Amino acid sequence: DSFEEQYYPSTCLVMEAGVRVLRRKDEPFNKLPFGRLFPRQKLFRNVKDIKTCAIVSSAGSLAGSKLGRFIDTHDIVMRFNHAPTQGHEVDVGSKTTIRVVNSQVVTKPEFDFTHAPIFRNVTIAAWDPGKYNGTLEDWLTSADYDLFTNYEIYRRRYPKSRAFLIDPHSVWRLWQSLQMFAGNRPISRNPPSSGFIGLALLLPHCPQVDFVEYVPSTRLNGRCHYYSKEMNSACTFGSWHPLAAEKLMALDMNMAEDDDMSVFQFGILRIRRPDKL
Ligand code: NCC
């Protein structure tokens, strides 16, 4: 076993899930006109120059964190769904490289995915779980929310955009990694949250990932999001997504040497990519 497999088995398990975006050459899309909508570009430019990445959870406890400046020092900043930066710069920063969005955000009119400025000029990675064990053909007709229509509109309107779809099979492989980690405690058969999918998508491209306020810090305040007043602890600990298992696994991946200071005081989990796998 490599050093990483011995000492960071969770990180290796997450990497092995191979969370990825769909490419034009992938079956069955290579035979469908739909596949031609996928960008030719890679997910990120100049991958060799990427040294540090920040993932900003949408947790309520980011409010008052003053982590904005720290977040913006990273080469890549990942955010989720419609989580805003405007008006929250001091706490969450202003830089956004990529947004991971779920299929509800792509489809529900209130989010206005095809027009809203928040989804422009950033890389988009959209996901929908489809059915466990479903084929990709099935997925095209039975996604939980039909994200394909708006994806197509978006790609036609902005042909230069880097907007990708996440391979749903890779989302379920990540779920399996999570189940492996949980061992004999069965987790519900619901897909991981956007946060965990984002971590698995980013890690292969980034030597060091700082995940901000995912494992809750002492700022824990019961709010669902930093950008709304809604109180709901389920947003932090999970109801539908296997969020608690995700966070335990993510904590197991933490490499910051001063655990309690970094994770619980500052709210920062530091995850390093294994060198060889
Ligand atoms: O809330 P949501 O998640 O957009 O949050 C993005 C990611 O941040 C992490 N998070 C969030 C809140 C919190 N208190 N603690 C956290 O750790 C999680 O990792 C989360 O994934 C989603 O995962 O896509 C989710 O999306 C929302 C909702 O669809 C969108 O925000 C659009 O409104 C889901 N809520 C509902 O469907 C009501 C949520 O379950 C998952």
Side-chain angles (χ1 to χ4, degrees):
D1 282 8
S2 68
F3 171 83
E4 283 82 7
E5 272 168 47
Q6 251 177 321
Y7 295 101
Y8 291 95
S10 310
T11 310
C12 294
L13 260 179
V14 164
M15 290 278 288
E16 281 157 16
V19 172
R20 62 188 287 275
V21 293
L22 292 169
R23 311 293 335 200
R24 291 185 179 206
K25 61 174 175 7
D26 291 337
E27 301 256 9
F29 305 100
N30 56 354
K31 297 188 187 67
L32 303 171
F34 187 73
R36 255 165 259 142
L37 287 169
F38 301 159
R40 284 183 201 283
Q41 296 105 301
K42 300 247 172 69
L43 184 60
F44 297 110
R45 294 170 240 264
N46 308 329
V47 179
K48 284 192 288 304
D49 300 333
I50 301 174
K51 293 191 177 64
T52 64
C53 300
I55 309 183
V56 186
S57 90
S58 304
S61 30
L62 264 163
S65 70
K66 298 208 166 67
L67 287 170
R69 226 190 299 234
F70 169 75
I71 289 167
D72 283 348
T73 61
H74 293 76
D75 300 321
I76 291 209
V77 178
M78 173 182 276
R79 302 181 194 274
F80 301 101
N81 297 321
H82 60 306
T85 53
Q86 216 177 20
H88 305 272
E89 291 87 351
V90 175
D91 293 331
V92 305
S94 54
K95 178 171 175 172
T96 305
T97 318
I98 177 168
R99 274 184 191 275
V100 174
V101 297
N102 70 40
S103 51
Q104 298 191 46
V105 172
V106 177
T107 48
K108 289 188 178 171
E110 69 223 64
F111 299 111
D112 195 16
F113 177 73
T114 55
H115 283 94
I118 199 165
F119 303 118
R120 299 268 354 258
N121 303 315
V122 297
T123 298
I124 298 283
W127 71 277
D128 178 282
K131 306 275 170 288
Y132 188 85
N133 276 336
T135 66
L136 292 172
E137 282 93 343
D138 295 338
W139 182 57
L140 282 167
T141 55
S142 66
D144 283 12
Y145 294 83
D146 164 37
L147 74 175
F148 308 110
T149 309
N150 274 350
Y151 177 74
E152 177 157 0
I153 293 173
Y154 181 100
R155 282 289 297 150
R156 290 197 193 284
R157 183 169 289 156
Y158 315 116
K160 293 197 176 126
S161 63
R162 295 176 111 85
F164 301 88
L165 296 179
I166 296 178
D167 178 350
H169 288 165
S170 72
V171 169
W172 287 113
R173 286 197 301 269
L174 183 62
W175 180 89
Q176 285 163 348
S177 291
L178 198 58
Q179 180 59 84
M180 295 258 270
F181 173 79
N184 55 13
R185 293 155 294 165
I187 55 170
S188 60
R189 200 181 273 182
N190 295 321
S193 73
S194 295
F196 202 59
I197 294 172
L199 170 64
L201 181 68
L202 188 54
L203 201 51
H205 305 278
C206 197
Q208 179 180 301
V209 175
D210 288 331
F211 204 153
V212 184
E213 203 60 64
Y214 184 53
V215 170
S217 75
T218 54
R219 280 187 297 268
L220 188 65
N221 58 11
R223 278 167 62 178
C224 182
H225 296 124
Y226 67 82
Y227 53 85
S228 91
K229 296 262 174 288
E230 185 196 345
M231 300 295 289
N232 185 355
S233 296
C235 299
T236 303
F237 298 105
S239 50
W240 192 71
H241 294 292
L243 207 54
E246 293 173 18
K247 293 183 185 206
L248 286 170
M249 190 168 184
L251 184 60
D252 196 53
M253 297 164 75
N254 179 46
M255 286 188 102
E257 276 152 37
D258 54 345
D259 256 34
D260 341 341
M261 269 318 266
S262 300
V263 182
F264 302 113
Q265 295 301 314
F266 303 139
I268 297 156
L269 202 66
R270 179 157 288 179
I271 296 167
R272 273 191 249 282
R273 178 180 67 198
D275 287 335
K276 40 186 188 306
L277 232 152

